[in-house]
Amino acid sequence: MAEGPSRIQLKYHNEPAWHEMIEQFSEHSAEGLALTILGIQARRPSLHDMIDEIRDLSVPLLVVNGDEDEACLPTGMMLKRTAPLCGMQVLPNSGHVPNLEDPRQFNDITRRFIRRVEANEWPERDPRSRFTSQFGLDQPDHTGAAAASPRGTGSSETR
């Protein structure tokens, strides 16, 4: 587990924290870990099964993913695409525990997020960014007509 695909980055970024993680996991029996996974983690609903609830969230969210945490990147992207007030920070060369890999960087990201939320500067996602075409050609009205931005800035054509 300690040298698994989403935890090995901790060893390279913060070896003392990696050794502490190994020590903490070794304090528990393999049976206890298995029972936790089967009895608790396996029974909780998947975030992917909660799309409707996530779509209705009205609180600011920030997803922080390591770019090498491949198992969690799709869920992070789903949250970004679904929650109206969700931002996403992807950290390079990072795995599943970026808060332990580089605590200073993680805390700086968290502080900036909290400051923006407290200053009422965390924007709702502009609905025009939700389409899959880079140029918006998959939008129902792909004529290039500008719509008002929910961020309050509008486009240069509407000012």
mmCIF file with all atom_site columns, all heavy atoms in Angstrom, residues 120-137:
data_model
loop_
_atom_site.group_PDB
_atom_site.id
_atom_site.type_symbol
_atom_site.label_atom_id
_atom_site.label_alt_id
_atom_site.label_comp_id
_atom_site.label_asym_id
_atom_site.label_entity_id
_atom_site.label_seq_id
_atom_site.pdbx_PDB_ins_code
_atom_site.Cartn_x
_atom_site.Cartn_y
_atom_site.Cartn_z
_atom_site.occupancy
_atom_site.B_iso_or_equiv
_atom_site.pdbx_formal_charge
_atom_site.auth_seq_id
_atom_site.auth_comp_id
_atom_site.auth_asym_id
_atom_site.auth_atom_id
_atom_site.pdbx_PDB_model_num
ATOM 1   N N   . ASN A 1 120 ? -16.355 36.833 -0.690  1.00 0.00 ? 120 ASN A N   1
ATOM 2   C CA  . ASN A 1 120 ? -17.429 36.678 -1.666  1.00 0.00 ? 120 ASN A CA  1
ATOM 3   C C   . ASN A 1 120 ? -16.908 36.819 -3.104  1.00 0.00 ? 120 ASN A C   1
ATOM 4   O O   . ASN A 1 120 ? -17.556 37.405 -3.963  1.00 0.00 ? 120 ASN A O   1
ATOM 5   C CB  . ASN A 1 120 ? -18.574 37.660 -1.396  1.00 0.00 ? 120 ASN A CB  1
ATOM 6   C CG  . ASN A 1 120 ? -19.874 37.187 -2.001  1.00 0.00 ? 120 ASN A CG  1
ATOM 7   O OD1 . ASN A 1 120 ? -20.094 35.995 -2.167  1.00 0.00 ? 120 ASN A OD1 1
ATOM 8   N ND2 . ASN A 1 120 ? -20.733 38.135 -2.342  1.00 0.00 ? 120 ASN A ND2 1
ATOM 9   N N   . GLU A 1 121 ? -15.723 36.270 -3.342  1.00 0.00 ? 121 GLU A N   1
ATOM 10  C CA  . GLU A 1 121 ? -15.096 36.346 -4.658  1.00 0.00 ? 121 GLU A CA  1
ATOM 11  C C   . GLU A 1 121 ? -15.002 34.987 -5.339  1.00 0.00 ? 121 GLU A C   1
ATOM 12  O O   . GLU A 1 121 ? -14.332 34.856 -6.356  1.00 0.00 ? 121 GLU A O   1
ATOM 13  C CB  . GLU A 1 121 ? -13.689 36.945 -4.528  1.00 0.00 ? 121 GLU A CB  1
ATOM 14  C CG  . GLU A 1 121 ? -13.686 38.381 -4.061  1.00 0.00 ? 121 GLU A CG  1
ATOM 15  C CD  . GLU A 1 121 ? -12.281 38.902 -3.801  1.00 0.00 ? 121 GLU A CD  1
ATOM 16  O OE1 . GLU A 1 121 ? -11.312 38.107 -3.867  1.00 0.00 ? 121 GLU A OE1 1
ATOM 17  O OE2 . GLU A 1 121 ? -12.156 40.104 -3.525  1.00 0.00 ? 121 GLU A OE2 1
ATOM 18  N N   . TRP A 1 122 ? -15.639 33.969 -4.760  1.00 0.00 ? 122 TRP A N   1
ATOM 19  C CA  . TRP A 1 122 ? -15.605 32.633 -5.381  1.00 0.00 ? 122 TRP A CA  1
ATOM 20  C C   . TRP A 1 122 ? -16.758 32.554 -6.362  1.00 0.00 ? 122 TRP A C   1
ATOM 21  O O   . TRP A 1 122 ? -17.920 32.548 -5.973  1.00 0.00 ? 122 TRP A O   1
ATOM 22  C CB  . TRP A 1 122 ? -15.710 31.553 -4.312  1.00 0.00 ? 122 TRP A CB  1
ATOM 23  C CG  . TRP A 1 122 ? -15.411 30.190 -4.858  1.00 0.00 ? 122 TRP A CG  1
ATOM 24  C CD1 . TRP A 1 122 ? -16.320 29.226 -5.173  1.00 0.00 ? 122 TRP A CD1 1
ATOM 25  C CD2 . TRP A 1 122 ? -14.125 29.661 -5.173  1.00 0.00 ? 122 TRP A CD2 1
ATOM 26  N NE1 . TRP A 1 122 ? -15.667 28.124 -5.656  1.00 0.00 ? 122 TRP A NE1 1
ATOM 27  C CE2 . TRP A 1 122 ? -14.320 28.367 -5.672  1.00 0.00 ? 122 TRP A CE2 1
ATOM 28  C CE3 . TRP A 1 122 ? -12.826 30.161 -5.097  1.00 0.00 ? 122 TRP A CE3 1
ATOM 29  C CZ2 . TRP A 1 122 ? -13.266 27.552 -6.073  1.00 0.00 ? 122 TRP A CZ2 1
ATOM 30  C CZ3 . TRP A 1 122 ? -11.782 29.347 -5.491  1.00 0.00 ? 122 TRP A CZ3 1
ATOM 31  C CH2 . TRP A 1 122 ? -12.005 28.062 -5.975  1.00 0.00 ? 122 TRP A CH2 1
ATOM 32  N N   . PRO A 1 123 ? -16.480 32.496 -7.663  1.00 0.00 ? 123 PRO A N   1
ATOM 33  C CA  . PRO A 1 123 ? -17.552 32.615 -8.659  1.00 0.00 ? 123 PRO A CA  1
ATOM 34  C C   . PRO A 1 123 ? -18.289 31.302 -8.924  1.00 0.00 ? 123 PRO A C   1
ATOM 35  O O   . PRO A 1 123 ? -17.739 30.217 -8.754  1.00 0.00 ? 123 PRO A O   1
ATOM 36  C CB  . PRO A 1 123 ? -16.799 33.037 -9.913  1.00 0.00 ? 123 PRO A CB  1
ATOM 37  C CG  . PRO A 1 123 ? -15.459 32.385 -9.758  1.00 0.00 ? 123 PRO A CG  1
ATOM 38  C CD  . PRO A 1 123 ? -15.160 32.420 -8.274  1.00 0.00 ? 123 PRO A CD  1
ATOM 39  N N   . GLU A 1 124 ? -19.514 31.484 -9.349  1.00 0.00 ? 124 GLU A N   1
ATOM 40  C CA  . GLU A 1 124 ? -20.247 30.347 -9.911  1.00 0.00 ? 124 GLU A CA  1
ATOM 41  C C   . GLU A 1 124 ? -19.681 30.110 -11.303 1.00 0.00 ? 124 GLU A C   1
ATOM 42  O O   . GLU A 1 124 ? -19.275 31.050 -11.989 1.00 0.00 ? 124 GLU A O   1
ATOM 43  C CB  . GLU A 1 124 ? -21.740 30.660 -9.990  1.00 0.00 ? 124 GLU A CB  1
ATOM 44  C CG  . GLU A 1 124 ? -22.568 29.490 -10.483 1.00 0.00 ? 124 GLU A CG  1
ATOM 45  C CD  . GLU A 1 124 ? -24.061 29.714 -10.337 1.00 0.00 ? 124 GLU A CD  1
ATOM 46  O OE1 . GLU A 1 124 ? -24.459 30.612 -9.583  1.00 0.00 ? 124 GLU A OE1 1
ATOM 47  O OE2 . GLU A 1 124 ? -24.820 28.981 -10.993 1.00 0.00 ? 124 GLU A OE2 1
ATOM 48  N N   . ARG A 1 125 ? -19.666 28.878 -11.712 1.00 0.00 ? 125 ARG A N   1
ATOM 49  C CA  . ARG A 1 125 ? -19.119 28.557 -13.030 1.00 0.00 ? 125 ARG A CA  1
ATOM 50  C C   . ARG A 1 125 ? -19.978 29.175 -14.128 1.00 0.00 ? 125 ARG A C   1
ATOM 51  O O   . ARG A 1 125 ? -21.198 29.089 -14.115 1.00 0.00 ? 125 ARG A O   1
ATOM 52  C CB  . ARG A 1 125 ? -19.058 27.045 -13.205 1.00 0.00 ? 125 ARG A CB  1
ATOM 53  C CG  . ARG A 1 125 ? -18.396 26.650 -14.503 1.00 0.00 ? 125 ARG A CG  1
ATOM 54  C CD  . ARG A 1 125 ? -18.158 25.175 -14.565 1.00 0.00 ? 125 ARG A CD  1
ATOM 55  N NE  . ARG A 1 125 ? -17.514 24.841 -15.823 1.00 0.00 ? 125 ARG A NE  1
ATOM 56  C CZ  . ARG A 1 125 ? -17.228 23.618 -16.189 1.00 0.00 ? 125 ARG A CZ  1
ATOM 57  N NH1 . ARG A 1 125 ? -17.524 22.618 -15.395 1.00 0.00 ? 125 ARG A NH1 1
ATOM 58  N NH2 . ARG A 1 125 ? -16.660 23.390 -17.345 1.00 0.00 ? 125 ARG A NH2 1
ATOM 59  N N   . ASP A 1 126 ? -19.321 29.800 -15.068 1.00 0.00 ? 126 ASP A N   1
ATOM 60  C CA  . ASP A 1 126 ? -20.003 30.371 -16.232 1.00 0.00 ? 126 ASP A CA  1
ATOM 61  C C   . ASP A 1 126 ? -20.550 29.207 -17.052 1.00 0.00 ? 126 ASP A C   1
ATOM 62  O O   . ASP A 1 126 ? -19.794 28.335 -17.478 1.00 0.00 ? 126 ASP A O   1
ATOM 63  C CB  . ASP A 1 126 ? -19.002 31.181 -17.054 1.00 0.00 ? 126 ASP A CB  1
ATOM 64  C CG  . ASP A 1 126 ? -19.639 31.935 -18.200 1.00 0.00 ? 126 ASP A CG  1
ATOM 65  O OD1 . ASP A 1 126 ? -20.594 31.399 -18.820 1.00 0.00 ? 126 ASP A OD1 1
ATOM 66  O OD2 . ASP A 1 126 ? -19.178 33.047 -18.497 1.00 0.00 ? 126 ASP A OD2 1
ATOM 67  N N   . PRO A 1 127 ? -21.851 29.151 -17.282 1.00 0.00 ? 127 PRO A N   1
ATOM 68  C CA  . PRO A 1 127 ? -22.432 28.004 -17.993 1.00 0.00 ? 127 PRO A CA  1
ATOM 69  C C   . PRO A 1 127 ? -21.866 27.816 -19.402 1.00 0.00 ? 127 PRO A C   1
ATOM 70  O O   . PRO A 1 127 ? -21.887 26.719 -19.934 1.00 0.00 ? 127 PRO A O   1
ATOM 71  C CB  . PRO A 1 127 ? -23.933 28.306 -18.045 1.00 0.00 ? 127 PRO A CB  1
ATOM 72  C CG  . PRO A 1 127 ? -24.127 29.624 -17.426 1.00 0.00 ? 127 PRO A CG  1
ATOM 73  C CD  . PRO A 1 127 ? -22.847 30.120 -16.864 1.00 0.00 ? 127 PRO A CD  1
ATOM 74  N N   . ARG A 1 128 ? -21.328 28.867 -19.986 1.00 0.00 ? 128 ARG A N   1
ATOM 75  C CA  . ARG A 1 128 ? -20.756 28.729 -21.327 1.00 0.00 ? 128 ARG A CA  1
ATOM 76  C C   . ARG A 1 128 ? -19.518 27.862 -21.334 1.00 0.00 ? 128 ARG A C   1
ATOM 77  O O   . ARG A 1 128 ? -19.104 27.374 -22.385 1.00 0.00 ? 128 ARG A O   1
ATOM 78  C CB  . ARG A 1 128 ? -20.422 30.112 -21.903 1.00 0.00 ? 128 ARG A CB  1
ATOM 79  C CG  . ARG A 1 128 ? -21.674 30.967 -22.116 1.00 0.00 ? 128 ARG A CG  1
ATOM 80  C CD  . ARG A 1 128 ? -21.304 32.375 -22.504 1.00 0.00 ? 128 ARG A CD  1
ATOM 81  N NE  . ARG A 1 128 ? -20.631 33.007 -21.368 1.00 0.00 ? 128 ARG A NE  1
ATOM 82  C CZ  . ARG A 1 128 ? -20.097 34.219 -21.406 1.00 0.00 ? 128 ARG A CZ  1
ATOM 83  N NH1 . ARG A 1 128 ? -20.139 34.927 -22.518 1.00 0.00 ? 128 ARG A NH1 1
ATOM 84  N NH2 . ARG A 1 128 ? -19.524 34.729 -20.340 1.00 0.00 ? 128 ARG A NH2 1
ATOM 85  N N   . SER A 1 129 ? -18.917 27.623 -20.170 1.00 0.00 ? 129 SER A N   1
ATOM 86  C CA  . SER A 1 129 ? -17.704 26.795 -20.107 1.00 0.00 ? 129 SER A CA  1
ATOM 87  C C   . SER A 1 129 ? -18.021 25.314 -19.995 1.00 0.00 ? 129 SER A C   1
ATOM 88  O O   . SER A 1 129 ? -17.115 24.489 -19.954 1.00 0.00 ? 129 SER A O   1
ATOM 89  C CB  . SER A 1 129 ? -16.837 27.234 -18.925 1.00 0.00 ? 129 SER A CB  1
ATOM 90  O OG  . SER A 1 129 ? -17.446 26.860 -17.706 1.00 0.00 ? 129 SER A OG  1
ATOM 91  N N   . ARG A 1 130 ? -19.279 24.955 -19.943 1.00 0.00 ? 130 ARG A N   1
ATOM 92  C CA  . ARG A 1 130 ? -19.667 23.558 -19.714 1.00 0.00 ? 130 ARG A CA  1
ATOM 93  C C   . ARG A 1 130 ? -19.685 22.692 -20.960 1.00 0.00 ? 130 ARG A C   1
ATOM 94  O O   . ARG A 1 130 ? -19.911 21.512 -20.884 1.00 0.00 ? 130 ARG A O   1
ATOM 95  C CB  . ARG A 1 130 ? -21.039 23.494 -19.063 1.00 0.00 ? 130 ARG A CB  1
ATOM 96  C CG  . ARG A 1 130 ? -21.053 24.071 -17.676 1.00 0.00 ? 130 ARG A CG  1
ATOM 97  C CD  . ARG A 1 130 ? -22.393 23.817 -17.014 1.00 0.00 ? 130 ARG A CD  1
ATOM 98  N NE  . ARG A 1 130 ? -22.421 24.440 -15.719 1.00 0.00 ? 130 ARG A NE  1
ATOM 99  C CZ  . ARG A 1 130 ? -21.918 23.904 -14.616 1.00 0.00 ? 130 ARG A CZ  1
ATOM 100 N NH1 . ARG A 1 130 ? -21.366 22.721 -14.677 1.00 0.00 ? 130 ARG A NH1 1
ATOM 101 N NH2 . ARG A 1 130 ? -21.965 24.541 -13.480 1.00 0.00 ? 130 ARG A NH2 1
ATOM 102 N N   . PHE A 1 131 ? -19.482 23.241 -22.105 1.00 0.00 ? 131 PHE A N   1
ATOM 103 C CA  . PHE A 1 131 ? -19.591 22.470 -23.330 1.00 0.00 ? 131 PHE A CA  1
ATOM 104 C C   . PHE A 1 131 ? -18.264 21.818 -23.678 1.00 0.00 ? 131 PHE A C   1
ATOM 105 O O   . PHE A 1 131 ? -17.207 22.272 -23.261 1.00 0.00 ? 131 PHE A O   1
ATOM 106 C CB  . PHE A 1 131 ? -20.114 23.356 -24.461 1.00 0.00 ? 131 PHE A CB  1
ATOM 107 C CG  . PHE A 1 131 ? -21.514 23.841 -24.166 1.00 0.00 ? 131 PHE A CG  1
ATOM 108 C CD1 . PHE A 1 131 ? -21.718 25.059 -23.537 1.00 0.00 ? 131 PHE A CD1 1
ATOM 109 C CD2 . PHE A 1 131 ? -22.606 23.053 -24.451 1.00 0.00 ? 131 PHE A CD2 1
ATOM 110 C CE1 . PHE A 1 131 ? -22.991 25.488 -23.232 1.00 0.00 ? 131 PHE A CE1 1
ATOM 111 C CE2 . PHE A 1 131 ? -23.883 23.476 -24.130 1.00 0.00 ? 131 PHE A CE2 1
ATOM 112 C CZ  . PHE A 1 131 ? -24.080 24.697 -23.527 1.00 0.00 ? 131 PHE A CZ  1
ATOM 113 N N   . THR A 1 132 ? -18.330 20.750 -24.454 1.00 0.00 ? 132 THR A N   1
ATOM 114 C CA  . THR A 1 132 ? -17.142 19.954 -24.719 1.00 0.00 ? 132 THR A CA  1
ATOM 115 C C   . THR A 1 132 ? -16.326 20.478 -25.889 1.00 0.00 ? 132 THR A C   1
ATOM 116 O O   . THR A 1 132 ? -15.165 20.140 -26.018 1.00 0.00 ? 132 THR A O   1
ATOM 117 C CB  . THR A 1 132 ? -17.530 18.489 -25.001 1.00 0.00 ? 132 THR A CB  1
ATOM 118 O OG1 . THR A 1 132 ? -18.459 18.456 -26.084 1.00 0.00 ? 132 THR A OG1 1
ATOM 119 C CG2 . THR A 1 132 ? -18.147 17.854 -23.770 1.00 0.00 ? 132 THR A CG2 1
ATOM 120 N N   . SER A 1 133 ? -16.897 21.289 -26.732 1.00 0.00 ? 133 SER A N   1
ATOM 121 C CA  . SER A 1 133 ? -16.167 21.836 -27.862 1.00 0.00 ? 133 SER A CA  1
ATOM 122 C C   . SER A 1 133 ? -15.346 23.035 -27.404 1.00 0.00 ? 133 SER A C   1
ATOM 123 O O   . SER A 1 133 ? -15.849 23.927 -26.725 1.00 0.00 ? 133 SER A O   1
ATOM 124 C CB  . SER A 1 133 ? -17.142 22.268 -28.956 1.00 0.00 ? 133 SER A CB  1
ATOM 125 O OG  . SER A 1 133 ? -16.494 23.080 -29.907 1.00 0.00 ? 133 SER A OG  1
ATOM 126 N N   . GLN A 1 134 ? -14.103 23.078 -27.795 1.00 0.00 ? 134 GLN A N   1
ATOM 127 C CA  . GLN A 1 134 ? -13.223 24.171 -27.380 1.00 0.00 ? 134 GLN A CA  1
ATOM 128 C C   . GLN A 1 134 ? -13.754 25.529 -27.828 1.00 0.00 ? 134 GLN A C   1
ATOM 129 O O   . GLN A 1 134 ? -13.592 26.526 -27.148 1.00 0.00 ? 134 GLN A O   1
ATOM 130 C CB  . GLN A 1 134 ? -11.827 23.946 -27.943 1.00 0.00 ? 134 GLN A CB  1
ATOM 131 C CG  . GLN A 1 134 ? -10.847 25.032 -27.549 1.00 0.00 ? 134 GLN A CG  1
ATOM 132 C CD  . GLN A 1 134 ? -9.456  24.755 -28.061 1.00 0.00 ? 134 GLN A CD  1
ATOM 133 O OE1 . GLN A 1 134 ? -9.213  23.754 -28.714 1.00 0.00 ? 134 GLN A OE1 1
ATOM 134 N NE2 . GLN A 1 134 ? -8.540  25.639 -27.762 1.00 0.00 ? 134 GLN A NE2 1
ATOM 135 N N   . PHE A 1 135 ? -14.406 25.586 -28.976 1.00 0.00 ? 135 PHE A N   1
ATOM 136 C CA  . PHE A 1 135 ? -14.893 26.848 -29.506 1.00 0.00 ? 135 PHE A CA  1
ATOM 137 C C   . PHE A 1 135 ? -16.383 27.044 -29.301 1.00 0.00 ? 135 PHE A C   1
ATOM 138 O O   . PHE A 1 135 ? -16.962 27.982 -29.828 1.00 0.00 ? 135 PHE A O   1
ATOM 139 C CB  . PHE A 1 135 ? -14.545 26.957 -30.995 1.00 0.00 ? 135 PHE A CB  1
ATOM 140 C CG  . PHE A 1 135 ? -13.065 26.899 -31.225 1.00 0.00 ? 135 PHE A CG  1
ATOM 141 C CD1 . PHE A 1 135 ? -12.485 25.771 -31.782 1.00 0.00 ? 135 PHE A CD1 1
ATOM 142 C CD2 . PHE A 1 135 ? -12.246 27.947 -30.845 1.00 0.00 ? 135 PHE A CD2 1
ATOM 143 C CE1 . PHE A 1 135 ? -11.120 25.710 -31.975 1.00 0.00 ? 135 PHE A CE1 1
ATOM 144 C CE2 . PHE A 1 135 ? -10.880 27.889 -31.037 1.00 0.00 ? 135 PHE A CE2 1
ATOM 145 C CZ  . PHE A 1 135 ? -10.317 26.762 -31.603 1.00 0.00 ? 135 PHE A CZ  1
ATOM 146 N N   . GLY A 1 136 ? -17.026 26.168 -28.548 1.00 0.00 ? 136 GLY A N   1
ATOM 147 C CA  . GLY A 1 136 ? -18.439 26.312 -28.254 1.00 0.00 ? 136 GLY A CA  1
ATOM 148 C C   . GLY A 1 136 ? -19.358 25.936 -29.396 1.00 0.00 ? 136 GLY A C   1
ATOM 149 O O   . GLY A 1 136 ? -20.529 26.292 -29.393 1.00 0.00 ? 136 GLY A O   1
ATOM 150 N N   . LEU A 1 137 ? -18.848 25.210 -30.365 1.00 0.00 ? 137 LEU A N   1
ATOM 151 C CA  . LEU A 1 137 ? -19.676 24.855 -31.524 1.00 0.00 ? 137 LEU A CA  1
ATOM 152 C C   . LEU A 1 137 ? -20.734 23.824 -31.187 1.00 0.00 ? 137 LEU A C   1
ATOM 153 O O   . LEU A 1 137 ? -21.640 23.600 -31.981 1.00 0.00 ? 137 LEU A O   1
ATOM 154 C CB  . LEU A 1 137 ? -18.792 24.354 -32.671 1.00 0.00 ? 137 LEU A CB  1
ATOM 155 C CG  . LEU A 1 137 ? -17.799 25.391 -33.201 1.00 0.00 ? 137 LEU A CG  1
ATOM 156 C CD1 . LEU A 1 137 ? -16.929 24.771 -34.275 1.00 0.00 ? 137 LEU A CD1 1
ATOM 157 C CD2 . LEU A 1 137 ? -18.516 26.618 -33.711 1.00 0.00 ? 137 LEU A CD2 1
#
